[in-house]
Amino acid sequence: MICILLVAGHGTVLETQIKNDDTGLYSHLTGVPKALLPGTGGKKILDFWWETVNMRQLFTEVYLVTNADKYKHYERWATANDFPVENVINDGSTTLEDRLGAVADLELVIRSRKLQDDIVVIAGDMLCADQNFDIAQVIRFFRSKPGELIIYYELEESEKSSSRGIVEVCPDTNRITRFMEKPQDGTTSRLASVVFYCIQRDTLSCMSDFLNLQPQAKDRSFGRFWEWLINEKQLDVFGMKLPTGFQLIGQVGLSDYTKWLTCYSTKQHNNSAIPITCRSYARVGLMGNPSDGFNGKTIAMSISNFWAEVTLVESQTLVLLPHPLNDPTEFGSLQDLFCISRKEGYLGGLRLLQATCKKFYQFCSKQGIALTKQNFTLKYDTNIPRQVGLAGSSAIVSATLKCLMKFYNITDSDLPKPVRANFILNVETDELFITAGLQDRVVQVYEGLVYMDFSKKLMEEQGYGNYVPLDMSNLPLFWLAYLSDPSDSGRIHSNIRQRWLSGETAVVEAMKSFAELTDQARVALKDRDWSCLARLMDQNFELRRSVYTDDCLGPGNLKMVQLARQFGSAVKLPGSGGAVVGLCLDTARMVEMRQAFQEAGCVFCVIAPYNPSASSAGGQR
């Protein structure tokens, strides 16, 4: 593969304004070509791109095409930076009026050097917001696609789409469906193309055809070329997003150049200095569970009593720190090891961090999102009780994903909330073989009180369900109790999935009934009919009991349910087992019930719902 750096532009605005600046701050830059102006990280703009592409394992040759007016500057730069001087190509133009045009400059290199290979084209006078750019990831993605590749990024709020080449990209295939050069209207896309392309050798001949159609140099821009190739010729061209910003110096003035240089430099400094800490909360299933794994409907609520917190900080190498309690490597004695292993099991949270990181890289590679070459250290903490079905594992995965998205500047449009819930579930089921459904992951992504419909039709048509946040104002007091020494909650699912897949009538009808109870509970929540909601919670448990059987539910869960009912409280399982959630409308009896649970060796607490709309942190700190 061959790389070509383009620095042949004749933009005079910036050069003129530097020359005429009367502050004296920029006098040392008078006459300096745009690509040799200071960039971020204390480097010249072109220095950064040369360091990025100077990789023999990727490129057999790197060429630089410039104009006659600035040729000597780049010749000197090449000598000083170990760039092969013979690969600096002069296009012969000296002014804006006699310029060849960007596509013609590229075609000149291809024709004069008789190039017959795939090429990468990059504007050498383009500011990049991130100095940790990984071009190898771009090349791998290009080779995985049957067509050309355009790099794009999401415009900053202050940037206008009318000043850039805008692409519309199919999220499933990454194919660019439309290219618009500086559109005034007609699109809502904020995805901006930059002069960074990968072109297959078989497509190089199209440049001559395009140039024959465009005799004027002003029309020989890459924007017009891609409009012609994509919109008219309808060739397969794919897009890859870089989660960073770009600014082509081109025709900008001194104020814009200094503004973006300051913006990118400040952002780079701030990003590396500040640790990222994110939280995800435990949840209670209020209605419909466990039908989320069986095309049912559920209502669940995130609670602020219990949380998982992950902290990410940039580091030289990638480090996953074990938790001192959940990932023990030292023990007081063999008996100590025995007791801890019997109660806690062998699987801590470290595997969740590792699996999330692996799946995140895999997702971004597949979706055409190029990640920067930055390493980090991850550590986690959690107070969610283990093995009592409060979604402790998915909370760690969810918080880790939040950190990774923030660190790599991955937006909601890159990883939408419904897809994010699927991602978290896949980390657990595909990577770690944890039995789980979507409910927990959905409520931890959306946060608050969420109604979820997982109907077969929705899941097959769009790949996820219908998720609706519900009003959390004036909720009644829910309570939670859990066993202080629980068994593995994962076993509670038993063989129910096999029975459901085989079409057993009792199980299939039960899942439909769970969905009906959920719809009724949604109405009760809306009407503030707490007595109705309490009855529905009891019905939810009895329905679950009828299909799972007492042997499967286990004596610990049944004992907690029976104890709650002695005090007139509605009660059900909030998850897979090991805990119960209830609604007691008699506050005096709830005080008595708390004492009874504590005397029975259980942990009891009043639930504090987590309402994201009432928290400025939005689940992140």
Side-chain angles (χ1 to χ4, degrees), residues 24 33 95 246 271 325 420 429 432 437 456 465 535 539-540 545:
T95 66
F246 292 91
N271 286 349
L325 295 178
R420 208 178 307 166
T429 57
L432 302 172
K456 183 178 181 181
R535 289 195 302 272
Q539 291 176 41
N540 195 120
R545 187 177 191 177

Side-chain angles (χ1 to χ4, degrees), residues 107-264:
E107 194 269 344
L108 169 65
V109 182
I110 294 168
R111 176 167 40 83
S112 63
R113 298 306 171 98
K114 299 180 172 57
L115 304 184
Q116 295 181 333
D117 200 353
D118 297 341
I119 63 170
V120 172
V121 185
I122 302 174
D125 58 353
M126 185 165 57
L127 275 174
C128 181
D130 204 308
Q131 295 290 294
N132 298 292
F133 179 67
D134 185 5
I135 197 168
Q137 195 175 1
V138 174
I139 303 305
R140 284 194 298 272
F141 187 71
F142 167 61
R143 297 198 186 285
S144 73
K145 295 295 182 181
E148 325 316 315
L149 182 66
I150 288 178
I151 299 300
Y152 65 89
Y153 77 103
E154 195 162 347
L155 288 171
E156 303 258 0
E157 288 186 10
S158 61
E159 294 181 90
K160 296 180 180 180
S161 57
S162 59
S163 65
R164 308 302 295 268
I166 300 298
V167 295
E168 293 178 354
V169 186
C170 173
D172 298 322
T173 64
N174 308 116
R175 189 175 183 271
I176 294 179
T177 55
R178 191 157 65 125
F179 189 104
M180 294 144 286
E181 176 68 353
K182 301 178 181 177
Q184 297 300 313
D185 49 38
T187 182
T188 59
S189 175
R190 297 279 297 168
L191 305 179
S193 162
V194 297
V195 183
F196 191 144
Y197 317 118
C198 298
I199 304 174
Q200 298 181 116
R201 72 180 75 184
D202 295 338
T203 310
L204 299 180
S205 60
C206 291
M207 291 183 187
S208 298
D209 299 336
F210 170 76
L211 292 172
N212 289 333
L213 295 171
Q214 305 292 347
Q216 299 295 320
K218 65 181 179 64
D219 297 320
R220 292 178 164 187
S221 67
F222 278 110
R224 298 303 178 200
F225 173 73
W226 291 117
E227 277 188 324
W228 173 73
L229 203 68
I230 295 169
N231 304 349
E232 295 184 32
K233 299 281 287 182
Q234 296 190 341
L235 264 64
D236 286 335
V237 179
F238 298 88
M240 186 176 199
K241 181 180 180 182
L242 291 186
T244 186
F246 292 91
Q247 287 298 321
L248 189 63
I249 298 303
Q251 299 291 332
V252 305
L254 180 59
S255 62
D256 281 335
Y257 163 67
T258 55
K259 178 187 75 173
W260 286 113
L261 183 59
T262 301
C263 174
Y264 287 171

Side-chain angles (χ1 to χ4, degrees), residues 5-7 33-39 43-53 62-64 66 73-75 77-78 81 83 88 122-127:
L5 300 172
L6 299 180
V7 292
K34 298 187 299 293
L36 299 183
L37 290 173
K43 305 172 185 175
K44 296 181 176 68
I45 298 173
L46 185 58
D47 288 347
F48 163 70
W49 289 113
W50 172 227
E51 289 178 12
T52 299
V53 303
V62 178
Y63 292 93
L64 182 80
T66 182
H73 287 274
Y74 290 110
E75 186 180 57
W77 171 86
N81 288 273
F83 186 96
V88 180
I122 302 174
D125 58 353
M126 185 165 57
L127 275 174

Side-chain angles (χ1 to χ4, degrees), residues 577-598:
V580 290
V581 61
L583 175 57
C584 184
L585 301 177
D586 186 335
T587 53
R589 299 214 70 187
M590 189 165 75
V591 174
E592 299 173 6
M593 182 173 58
R594 175 198 289 266
Q595 183 176 349
F597 267 99
Q598 291 170 340

Side-chain angles (χ1 to χ4, degrees), residues 200-432:
Q200 298 181 116
R201 72 180 75 184
D202 295 338
T203 310
L204 299 180
S205 60
C206 291
M207 291 183 187
S208 298
D209 299 336
F210 170 76
L211 292 172
N212 289 333
L213 295 171
Q214 305 292 347
Q216 299 295 320
K218 65 181 179 64
D219 297 320
R220 292 178 164 187
S221 67
F222 278 110
R224 298 303 178 200
F225 173 73
W226 291 117
E227 277 188 324
W228 173 73
L229 203 68
I230 295 169
N231 304 349
E232 295 184 32
K233 299 281 287 182
Q234 296 190 341
L235 264 64
D236 286 335
V237 179
F238 298 88
M240 186 176 199
K241 181 180 180 182
L242 291 186
T244 186
F246 292 91
Q247 287 298 321
L248 189 63
I249 298 303
Q251 299 291 332
V252 305
L254 180 59
S255 62
D256 281 335
Y257 163 67
T258 55
K259 178 187 75 173
W260 286 113
L261 183 59
T262 301
C263 174
Y264 287 171
S265 298
T266 302
K267 183 181 296 186
Q268 189 177 75
H269 174 74
N270 290 343
N271 286 349
S272 62
I274 303 174
I276 299 168
T277 299
C278 298
R279 274 189 179 184
S280 283
Y281 294 89
R283 67 88 194 93
V284 289
L286 292 181
M287 194 63 58
N289 60 303
S291 72
D292 54 313
F294 307 93
N295 297 132
K297 299 177 182 179
T298 68
I299 294 174
M301 181 171 67
S302 51
I303 63 175
S304 59
N305 307 65
F306 303 109
W307 42 260
E309 185 174 87
V310 174
T311 298
L312 182 153
V313 61
E314 188 170 358
S315 57
Q316 289 295 314
T317 58
L318 199 156
V319 181
L320 307 179
L321 295 177
H323 191 278
L325 295 178
N326 299 325
D327 306 290
T329 57
E330 293 185 16
F331 303 89
S333 65
L334 192 58
Q335 182 187 15
D336 185 33
L337 181 149
F338 167 78
C339 293
I340 291 174
S341 302
R342 181 180 64 83
K343 184 176 181 180
E344 305 288 350
Y346 303 101
L347 304 174
L350 205 59
R351 63 184 179 135
L352 299 169
L353 302 185
Q354 186 171 352
T356 306
C357 290
K358 182 211 171 191
K359 204 74 174 177
F360 179 77
Y361 182 87
Q362 180 181 334
F363 172 86
C364 291
S365 297
K366 183 178 179 182
Q367 293 301 118
I369 302 171
L371 302 177
T372 52
K373 291 190 292 186
Q374 290 172 280
N375 285 324
F376 52 83
T377 294
L378 272 181
K379 65 178 181 178
Y380 78 98
D381 193 14
T382 180
N383 69 349
I384 301 176
R386 296 185 65 179
Q387 300 183 353
V388 296
L390 296 179
S393 294
S394 59
I396 294 174
V397 175
S398 175
T400 303
L401 180 59
K402 287 179 183 179
C403 284
L404 291 171
M405 290 180 66
K406 192 169 183 179
F407 184 66
Y408 286 108
N409 196 27
I410 304 300
T411 66
D412 285 346
S413 59
D414 298 323
L415 189 48
K417 286 185 175 181
V419 180
R420 208 178 307 166
N422 289 350
F423 175 98
I424 296 168
L425 179 64
N426 290 337
V427 169
E428 298 180 85
T429 57
D430 295 354
E431 297 296 321
L432 302 172

